[in-house]
């Protein structure tokens, strides 16, 4: 998620749902994840802007789990920019609360990404972790996870790490329909409009149709909202 747009962009739309129509958002998430309930974790306070909250980064929402933090530092750089979550919450499935890590997109440009780690050591550490994730999910080692769709791949790496640490979690990608970002951006106006984008991603990443985390990775397509939380038209 990038800079907050005034009336457009994935961050704006997600915050609008959370503020004006959390009931509909939670209901859609429950249907998508087959869960009974959803709760959201407020972001950490921003020390530079009192009263404002920041995005959760990496696994700092689990800072109380010292052994897990130690294991994470062994496989991911402690410097640079870790995965930033557009939202963190929990879903209740079978009476058990499980973590929900949310990534939101509003236009095609938000899907493509490259690894920007400048340190050779950090890049090698990331590459090793991505390679281990590919092996765990049955992906060919030749697939390039550092370029093309790096953000999607490092989110899978986080989910796989939590799975291996016996921390129940789900990864939710929210794709907004009907954004008006402009500036030449391709903003899908229908759910079908996202399908080609995601198919190109799937072919590049090489995720098989069946893999150990398939029940924990979800796609949710949501129409953007108009003024005061009113749903925008769905074409």
């Amino acid at each position: 998620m990038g800079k907050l747009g005034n009336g457009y962009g994935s961050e704006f739309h997600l915050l609008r749902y959370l503020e004006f129509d959390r009931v509909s958002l939670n209901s859609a998430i429950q249907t998508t994840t087959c869960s009974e309930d959803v709760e959201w974790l407020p972001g950490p306070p921003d020390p530079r802007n009192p009263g404002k909250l920041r995005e959760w980064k990496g696994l700092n929402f689990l800072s109380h789990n010292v052994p897990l933090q130690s294991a994470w530092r062994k496989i991911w750089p402690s410097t640079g920019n870790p995965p930033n979550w557009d939202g963190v919450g929990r879903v209740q499935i079978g009476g058990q609360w499980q973590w929900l890590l949310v990534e939101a997109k509003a236009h095609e440009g938000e899907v493509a990404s490259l690894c920007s780690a400048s340190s050779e050591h950090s890049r090698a550490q990331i590459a090793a972790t991505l390679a281990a994730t590919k092996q765990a999910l049955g992906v060919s080692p030749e697939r390039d996870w550092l370029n093309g769709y790096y953000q999607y791949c490092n989110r899978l790496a986080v989910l796989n790490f939590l799975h291996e640490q016996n921390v129940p979690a789900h990864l939710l990608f929210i794709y907004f329909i009907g954004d008006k970002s402009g500036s030449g951006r391709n903003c899908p106006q229908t759910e079908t409009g996202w399908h080609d984008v995601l198919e190109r991603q799937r072919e590049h990443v090489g995720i098989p149709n069946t893999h150990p985390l398939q029940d924990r990775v979800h796609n949710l397509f949501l129409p953007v909202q108009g003024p005061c939380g009113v749903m925008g038209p769905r074409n």
Side-chain angles (χ1 to χ4, degrees), residues 2-103:
K3 183 179 179 181
L4 179 63
N6 183 14
Y8 64 89
S10 54
E11 183 174 5
F12 175 87
H13 296 309
L14 181 56
L15 291 176
R16 199 162 187 77
Y17 262 100
L18 288 169
E19 181 176 357
F20 290 106
D21 200 3
R22 188 173 296 199
V23 171
S24 293
L25 175 63
N26 288 355
S27 177
I29 291 174
Q30 287 174 239
T31 299
T32 301
T33 61
C34 298
S35 57
E36 300 102 35
D37 200 2
V38 180
E39 64 178 26
W40 294 91
L41 188 67
D46 188 341
R48 297 181 179 179
N49 295 289
K52 292 188 176 181
L53 302 177
R54 299 182 298 174
E55 291 180 339
W56 291 105
K57 295 185 177 184
L59 295 178
N60 59 357
F61 61 93
L62 290 169
S63 58
H64 60 282
N65 191 327
V66 176
L68 183 137
Q69 294 295 329
S70 178
W72 176 244
R73 286 192 295 270
K74 292 178 180 178
I75 69 165
W76 203 265
S78 56
T79 58
N81 189 27
N84 292 5
W85 303 107
D86 295 334
V88 173
R90 297 195 303 169
V91 289
Q92 188 177 47
I93 299 176
Q96 178 191 39
W97 285 104
Q98 306 184 25
W99 289 104
L100 181 71
L101 308 178
V102 179
E103 185 68 41

Side-chain angles (χ1 to χ4, degrees), residues 1 34 41 131 137-138 158 173 213:
M1 191 179 283
C34 298
L41 188 67
L137 300 185
V158 174
F173 292 94
L213 299 179

